[in-house]
mmCIF file of all heavy atoms in Angstrom:
data_model
loop_
_atom_site.group_PDB
_atom_site.id
_atom_site.type_symbol
_atom_site.label_atom_id
_atom_site.label_comp_id
_atom_site.label_asym_id
_atom_site.label_seq_id
_atom_site.Cartn_x
_atom_site.Cartn_y
_atom_site.Cartn_z
ATOM 1 N N GLN A 36 22.242 -4.071 -16.317
ATOM 2 C CA GLN A 36 21.860 -3.410 -17.580
ATOM 3 C C GLN A 36 21.966 -4.430 -18.718
ATOM 4 O O GLN A 36 23.037 -4.983 -18.938
ATOM 5 C CB GLN A 36 22.784 -2.220 -17.882
ATOM 6 C CG GLN A 36 22.615 -1.067 -16.899
ATOM 7 C CD GLN A 36 21.176 -0.538 -16.884
ATOM 8 O OE1 GLN A 36 20.500 -0.539 -17.925
ATOM 9 N NE2 GLN A 36 20.706 -0.131 -15.708
ATOM 10 N N VAL A 37 20.848 -4.721 -19.408
ATOM 11 C CA VAL A 37 20.865 -5.628 -20.560
ATOM 12 C C VAL A 37 20.249 -4.886 -21.742
ATOM 13 O O VAL A 37 19.254 -4.176 -21.573
ATOM 14 C CB VAL A 37 20.054 -6.914 -20.255
ATOM 15 C CG1 VAL A 37 19.939 -7.770 -21.506
ATOM 16 C CG2 VAL A 37 20.717 -7.684 -19.125
ATOM 17 N N ASP A 102 19.597 -20.251 -0.802
ATOM 18 C CA ASP A 102 19.170 -20.095 -2.188
ATOM 19 C C ASP A 102 19.686 -21.241 -3.055
ATOM 20 O O ASP A 102 20.700 -21.860 -2.720
ATOM 21 C CB ASP A 102 19.663 -18.745 -2.743
ATOM 22 C CG ASP A 102 18.794 -17.595 -2.210
ATOM 23 O OD1 ASP A 102 17.636 -17.861 -1.820
ATOM 24 O OD2 ASP A 102 19.283 -16.452 -2.180
#
Side-chain angles (χ1 to χ4, degrees):
Q36 292 301 326
V37 173
D102 283 337

